[in-house]
Structure formats: C-alpha cells, structure tokens
Amino acid sequence: MRGRRRLGRPFGWLWAAYAVSAYGSGLGFGAFPLIAVLVLHAGPAEVSALSAVGPAVGALIAVPLAPWVEFRHKRPVMIGMDLARCAAMATIPVGYALGRLTWVQLLVVSVLVAAAKIAFNAASGAFLKALVRPDDLLVANARFESTNWSSIAVGPPLGGAAIGLFGPVVTVIADAFSYLLSALCLTAIGGREEAPRPRGEAPRAGEAARRTTGEAVPSAATGDAATRTTAEAVPRTTAEAVPQATGDAATRPPGESAPPPTRKGGPRRTAGLLDGWRHIMGHPVLRALYLNQLLVAGLIMATEPLLAVLLLRRLGFPPWQYGLAFAAPCLGGLVGSRLARRVVARHGRSAVFRTVGTLRAVWLIGLVFVRPGVTGLVTVMAVELAIIVDMSLYTPVLAAYRLEHTPKHLVARTLTAWSVGQQAAIALCTALGGLLADATGPRTALTVAGLLILATPLLLPRPDRTPPASSAEPDATARAGTAP
C-alpha cells in the first residue's frame, strides 16, 4: 500500500490551521440567522439581509485590501486576519451576556468576518504556492477540500446539539476560539518568507549570490524545503537571473542596488486594485473557468433558501430531516477530493474541466421533483450527493490550475478578485431567486435555477485551449522576477 504523500512540516501546520478554522466554522454554520430569529426575533427580511448583504459588503471591503496583501509577508497577514475574526466574533457572546446584542452588530460582524476571510484566503493561496512544489499543488488543495467537506458534514449537527444544550451563542464562541487556534498553528510554521517584490524587480545581490552558491534561501518553507541547495530548488545561475530585470533595472549601472518597492501611494498601487481581474480576463482558460464558476456557484447557492422554504414550510419536513438532507451528502466530498489526483493522472485536467464541470450542472434540476416523506428526503440527499462529489473533485483541480497559471506577484490579487466576484454572484442570484419565489413560489424558482445552470457548461474552456500544467508557470515566474 502506498503511503500518504508527505508535503513537509510547514504544510502540516498550514493544514492544521485550515482544519481547526473549518471545523469551528462548521460548528457555527447558520449561527447568525439562528441568533437573529431566536434572540432578536428578526423577521424574514432582516434574516435574508443578514445572509446576503453582510458577505456582499465584506467582499467590497476586501477589494482595496488585495494590493496591501500582495506586497506583504503572507503569514503575518493570515495571523492578523485570524485574530481580527476572533475579536469580531467574540463581541457577539459579550453583547449577548450584557443584554446589548443588536441586529446591526450581527451585520457589522458579518461584514468584517467576510472581508477578513477573503483577505486570509488570498494570502494563504500565495503562501501555499511558495510552500509546496508545483506538482504538489493538486494534492495540497485536495486535502483542504476533503477537510472542508468533512467539517460541513460533522459541524452543523454537532453545532445544533450544542445550541440545544448550552444556548444560542455557544457555537459562536467555538468559532471565535477556532480562529485563535488557527493563528497559533500558523505561528508554529516558523521560518522566514521571501520578501514580496513587484513585477520586474530583480533579486537583491546578496540573495542572488546565496542562490548560486547553494546556501539555503529564506522562505516560507522550512525543514527539508528550506535546506534545499540551489541546484535542487532554484536551478538558475546569476547570469540567468539577472536578465529578468526590466525597465530601470535593465539599464542600472553595475554595482547599483535596486531601489526598494514603493509602499505608499504611487500609480501602481492604485492600478493594482484591478490587476487580479485583468489577469483573469486576459487568460483565456482562466476567464472561461471564472465566468463558469460565477454562474454555477451563484445558481447552486441561490437554491439553499428556496429549498429551506419548500422543505420546511410547504412539504412539512421536520428540522432534523432537513439537517440530515444536507449534512449526510457532504461525506461525498471526501470521495471526490480523494479521487482528484487519480482522475487527473488518468484522464487529464482538460477532461476534468469539461466532464466533471458539466456533471456539476445536470443534477440541480432534480430538486424540482422533491415530494413529501421519505421519497422526497432521499431525492434531496441523492441530488446533493451527486453535486458535492462532482464539486469536490473539480474544485481542487481548478484551484491548482489557478495557482500554477498566476504569477507570484499577482496571486493575492487574483484570488481576491475571484472570491469577490463569486460572492457578488451568489448575493445577486440569491436576491433574484428570492424575488422570483415571492412572486411565483419556491418550486418555480428552483425550476428556473435548474434550467439556467444547464447552460453553464457552454462557458467551460474547450479542450484545445487548456494547456498542460507546466506550460505557463516558467513564463509567469520569469515575468514575476522570482524563482519557482
């Protein structure tokens, strides 16, 4: 039997940080709407606004954070975002204990947590790209994906039981504590990161000398990765590295050091707000994957409140069956994520994008045929299971491809642009779905979503436009002026 592929101690701590945060969020899943209903006696409009407006505004706030994240060490940014989320979430049990908790406070915390999450994810993606080898990105993302789905399968049922035993804010306390534990795990990684450099800036003379003499290069990776010689980790000589400099660096007199990157003001930082979207839209495959993901994620997530109304109010499902219908199929995420690497190795990444990307879209229409009783419950679980298996196989392949085809100096901004666009699509589709359901009924709105998503495979990249994994990375790395 083949053992699990080892990605090193630093990745182990990064994975642990992701896991404790994911399970904390799983325990706290749906806590804000529940507190709004049970504690603040909020109506449907207020609950819907809390679920849609908070994350949408948080996504807007995250846009100007992207260049700030890009030009800073990523691990301190992640730790800071974890601590910020911990502090924001901690205000809710404090307000509850003092009898001063309000709907506005829930909304503000929702906004802050959403913005910090996007900034954290952008920094962690850039950190992961520097931490593991390019051919390990799929394995790393598959492990994150399996952790995500297992936390969704286990967390909400345990959170519901904890709320029944200890009160409505106990899962919020657990979620806040999980962010603190995540920050501690990130601190345990240790080591030093390579200083972020804008595009085109050459490595400093001392760093280039270390690379050519075989001295270990300080980076986020420690342990085996940090002690690799230049021949193993950075197969460039100084003569090969110097010509990468462009602009002023190319004409700088010998012996003159490169100026440090500007950290305040300047047209580059202003223009940098949109650099992530420029990179996505300028790359034909990423553009196709991005537009497809916006619609698929928006339409699937828009069905969540519609299905809640249909199952709980129209068809009379008890709450425990409703929870079971969504928790049990999440175990399929473990299956899909573990299959990702094998499927790519056997059939290729292009086949995964086309075939699995299409399969994600064909199952949603099945929710229209849900009926009362056990048959309806089985129908919902079967549809959700099929969607989750496909998504958990597709998502790590997409995440690895996106990192491989994004230059290092654009990773944080690209991931931020991707998250902001997806969050905006989910908010828009959810709002439109709610309006349509109010006018026609939830089953009609589910039918429209199920039919619309059937057209999304048309946006997937054609097989002849999906390059192999290694085709873009060397060029992107050269443009970034950094070693792979």
Side-chain angles (χ1 to χ4, degrees):
M1 179 182 293
R2 296 180 59 185
R4 174 179 293 230
R5 189 163 181 172
R6 297 181 61 85
L7 300 183
R9 175 182 169 276
F11 175 79
W13 281 114
L14 180 63
W15 192 12
Y18 182 89
V20 295
S21 177
Y23 277 93
S25 297
L27 285 171
F29 182 79
F32 281 21
L34 187 146
I35 292 173
V37 172
L38 297 183
V39 178
L40 305 178
H41 308 290
E46 292 173 308
V47 174
S48 298
L50 190 62
S51 299
V53 175
V57 175
L60 291 177
I61 293 175
V63 173
L65 289 178
W68 178 84
V69 172
E70 193 78 77
F71 295 102
R72 277 154 181 83
H73 293 293
K74 303 306 182 290
R75 190 159 59 97
V77 170
M78 290 189 288
I79 293 172
M81 293 302 106
D82 270 339
L83 295 179
R85 287 186 285 182
C86 176
M89 296 288 283
T91 65
I92 294 176
V94 171
Y96 175 76
L98 298 176
R100 305 293 296 273
L101 185 65
T102 64
W103 180 85
V104 173
Q105 181 181 350
L106 289 179
L107 182 63
V108 171
V109 172
S110 176
V111 168
L112 294 176
V113 169
K117 178 181 179 180
I118 292 175
F120 179 95
N121 290 342
S124 66
F127 188 76
L128 179 65
K129 183 179 174 76
L131 193 66
V132 302
R133 298 177 302 176
D135 56 349
D136 286 332
L137 284 173
L138 178 56
V139 177
N141 280 288
R143 291 180 186 178
F144 288 149
E145 188 72 7
S146 65
T147 302
N148 175 61
W149 286 112
S150 64
S151 69
I152 297 175
V154 174
L158 292 180
I163 289 173
L165 292 173
F166 304 110
V169 299
V170 63
T171 57
V172 176
I173 297 174
D175 197 5
F177 186 64
S178 74
Y179 292 127
L180 180 59
L181 289 179
S182 174
L184 293 176
C185 290
L186 293 171
T187 303
I189 293 176
R192 290 192 302 166
E193 294 181 59
E194 183 180 341
R197 286 190 298 270
R199 174 180 175 176
E201 182 178 331
R204 291 185 177 89
E207 183 179 340
R210 287 196 301 270
R211 289 180 175 177
T212 56
T213 56
E215 185 179 335
V217 180
S219 67
T222 58
D224 293 339
T227 56
R228 289 192 199 118
T229 63
T230 303
E232 296 170 322
V234 189
R236 283 199 185 101
T237 64
T238 305
E240 293 170 326
V242 171
Q244 294 174 6
T246 59
D248 294 339
T251 58
R252 189 177 295 117
E256 183 178 337
S257 61
T262 304
R263 292 196 176 272
K264 293 185 180 180
R268 173 156 185 82
R269 289 303 170 85
T270 304
L273 293 175
L274 302 178
D275 281 352
W277 279 284
R278 289 193 185 99
H279 171 63
I280 293 171
M281 302 310 290
H283 190 293
V285 178
L286 284 179
R287 179 175 64 245
L289 294 172
Y290 178 64
L291 296 176
N292 172 267
Q293 185 69 13
L294 294 187
L295 289 178
V296 170
L299 291 170
I300 289 178
M301 294 305 296
T303 64
E304 182 181 349
L306 303 177
L307 203 56
V309 173
L310 178 65
L311 296 181
L312 297 174
R313 186 177 299 174
R314 301 291 179 88
L315 301 182
F317 277 66
W320 71 268
Q321 287 187 352
Y322 175 76
L324 180 65
F326 289 97
C330 290
L331 295 175
L334 299 176
V335 176
S337 59
R338 291 183 66 87
L339 288 175
R341 185 179 171 217
R342 299 178 186 176
V343 173
V344 169
R346 173 172 291 187
H347 301 288
R349 188 156 48 187
S350 178
V352 171
F353 285 152
R354 294 296 303 175
T355 304
V356 183
T358 299
L359 287 175
R360 293 181 308 160
V362 303
W363 310 109
L364 195 64
I365 192 68
L367 296 176
V368 176
F369 305 103
V370 174
R371 292 292 182 266
V374 176
T375 302
L377 177 63
V378 172
T379 300
V380 174
M381 293 177 68
V383 171
E384 293 291 329
L385 177 63
I387 292 174
I388 289 172
V389 169
D390 291 330
M391 290 187 68
S392 61
L393 196 161
Y394 179 92
T395 300
V397 180
L398 170 62
Y401 181 90
R402 186 175 56 202
L403 285 177
E404 290 168 3
H405 289 263
T406 300
K408 287 185 178 180
H409 70 284
L410 284 175
V411 171
R413 282 169 288 180
T414 298
L415 296 182
T416 298
W418 199 286
S419 297
V420 169
Q422 184 169 301
Q423 191 62 57
I426 291 172
L428 178 61
C429 291
T430 300
L432 293 176
L435 292 174
L436 182 60
D438 285 340
T440 63
R443 199 180 292 272
T444 301
L446 286 171
T447 302
V448 171
L451 292 175
L452 287 176
I453 202 172
L454 291 176
T456 58
L458 297 175
L459 293 172
L460 289 168
R462 297 191 300 271
D464 59 337
R465 298 182 68 180
T466 307
S470 60
S471 63
E473 182 60 21
D475 179 61
T477 305
R479 288 196 303 271
T482 57

